[in-house]
Amino acid sequence: MRIATWNVNGLRARIDYIVHWLKSREPDVVGMQELKVTDDEFPHEPFNDLGYTVITHGQKGWNGVAIASRLPIEATDRGLPGEADAGARLIRGRIAGTGGIGEVSFATAYCPNGKDIGHADFPVKLKWYDGLRDYLAGVDGGGPFLIGGDFNVVPEPVDCWRGAAADGTIFCTVDERGRYQALLDCGLVDLYRRVEPDKQAFSWWDYRGGAFHRGMGLRIDMLLGNEALAKRVKDVVIDRAYRYKKDGLTSSDHVPVYADLD
DNA sequence: ATGACACTATTTTAGTGA
């Protein structure tokens, strides 16, 4: 099973680019964030044409999450309990098993940005993370569970192009890193770090100032699995080839991250 | 120090993103 997370930055603007990636990488499941589209206006046809069904939790203008799957999928949660005011940021589905892996519970999340330390949105971000921790503390029923998303936190200095020089700035504060660690303390493993313990690899680069070509990125898009899932991981790819234009189409500022499970 | 790029609706400028 190949399963992915991707902040697409505008699903309608990105749809042709997404189709290019789906045809190339052939994931079984992809959780997408920052759709910026309502459920009513979600374009299902391009996904259906490639054999995917999509469950959505969107809203007008901002945020929005969805899961596309070519294995049978059933939505089990829409929205983070108690955090609806923060926007449509979480969806979870039950995916039929395939190959050596049984049924998988997969959630995708778009964690709040926080804007800046001192901004009113910053404590809102921390509170949302507390809600996510409480949610994740209750999900492990023993079967494979995975949450993939844009966490808007840089886990460690190596995950930032500026390294430890960024410590204390937005995404790199003790408060945010502590909240992120609290998710792992629910029994989850960062799948990329399981296969690449020390390597620096980024999943996001600013559109501005040639940041991508200058290596000025962050790793903020992660796949976090419980042990039942993590022990099935064969490989994890941060797909930086999809930060380039494809057939003249503009990429998201985030790249897809996918794991291959057996 | 600032802006830079891309998206959407609050649309021809502003707000957001990270």
Side-chain angles (χ1 to χ4, degrees):
Chain A
M1 182 186 293
R2 174 167 287 182
I3 191 161
T5 180
W6 194 6
N7 179 324
V8 299
N9 186 22
L11 186 124
R12 287 170 296 179
R14 200 72 57 218
I15 186 62
D16 291 343
Y17 194 92
I18 293 169
V19 165
H20 191 292
W21 182 77
L22 292 172
K23 287 179 176 175
S24 173
R25 305 311 196 217
E26 300 191 320
D28 295 297
V29 183
V30 53
M32 297 174 286
Q33 308 93 40
E34 221 177 336
L35 307 182
K36 304 182 180 180
V37 66
T38 60
D39 292 345
D40 286 349
E41 296 182 1
F42 189 98
H44 285 268
E45 293 80 3
F47 292 94
N48 297 160
D49 289 348
L50 293 173
Y52 295 87
T53 56
V54 189
I55 58 171
T56 65
H57 182 48
Q59 68 177 89
K60 190 171 184 176
W62 299 314
N63 306 319
V65 286
I67 301 172
S69 176
R70 60 182 188 182
L71 298 166
I73 183 170
E74 175 189 356
T76 53
D77 281 314
R78 283 186 171 87
L80 181 61
E83 293 291 338
D85 288 351
R89 294 178 178 275
L90 185 141
I91 189 169
R92 181 180 176 195
R94 182 187 300 117
I95 298 157
T98 183
I101 192 164
E103 188 176 274
V104 172
S105 178
F106 179 58
T108 195
Y110 176 44
C111 302
N113 174 300
K115 291 193 178 69
D116 205 351
I117 304 165
H119 192 284
D121 284 5
F122 188 71
V124 173
K125 176 182 189 174
L126 300 182
K127 177 174 171 292
W128 195 90
Y129 253 91
D130 288 340
L132 183 60
R133 174 206 58 209
D134 292 346
Y135 176 79
L136 294 176
V139 298
D140 194 350
F145 172 79
L146 180 67
I147 180 167
D150 173 1
F151 288 87
N152 275 325
V153 169
V154 172
E156 298 179 276
V158 69
D159 299 310
C160 175
W161 67 279
R162 292 205 295 146
D167 287 0
T169 65
I170 188 72
F171 288 32
C172 304
T173 65
V174 170
D175 281 337
E176 290 162 291
R177 286 177 168 159
R179 294 314 197 284
Y180 175 79
Q181 181 60 45
L183 308 185
L184 304 183
D185 291 343
C186 294
L188 300 176
V189 174
D190 176 347
L191 300 189
Y192 181 71
R193 280 285 166 250
R194 169 152 296 199
V195 300
E196 290 286 359
D198 306 308
K199 188 176 177 182
Q200 183 172 68
F202 303 138
S203 66
W204 172 89
W205 298 260
D206 200 307
Y207 282 120
R208 298 169 294 185
F212 177 62
H213 298 284
R214 297 165 69 185
M216 298 161 64
L218 306 174
R219 190 176 73 96
I220 53 177
D221 300 272
M222 275 75 78
L223 293 165
L224 310 181
N226 67 357
E227 190 52 36
L229 185 130
K231 69 184 182 185
R232 299 284 192 172
V233 171
K234 304 304 290 181
D235 196 16
V236 179
V237 173
I238 301 178
D239 202 354
R240 77 187 298 281
Y242 274 80
R243 187 58 176 78
Y244 293 90
K245 284 188 187 298
K246 297 289 184 185
D247 299 340
L249 302 167
T250 300
S251 75
S252 172
D253 45 356
H254 299 251
V255 295
V257 179
Y258 61 85
D260 289 325
L261 314 174
D262 71 4

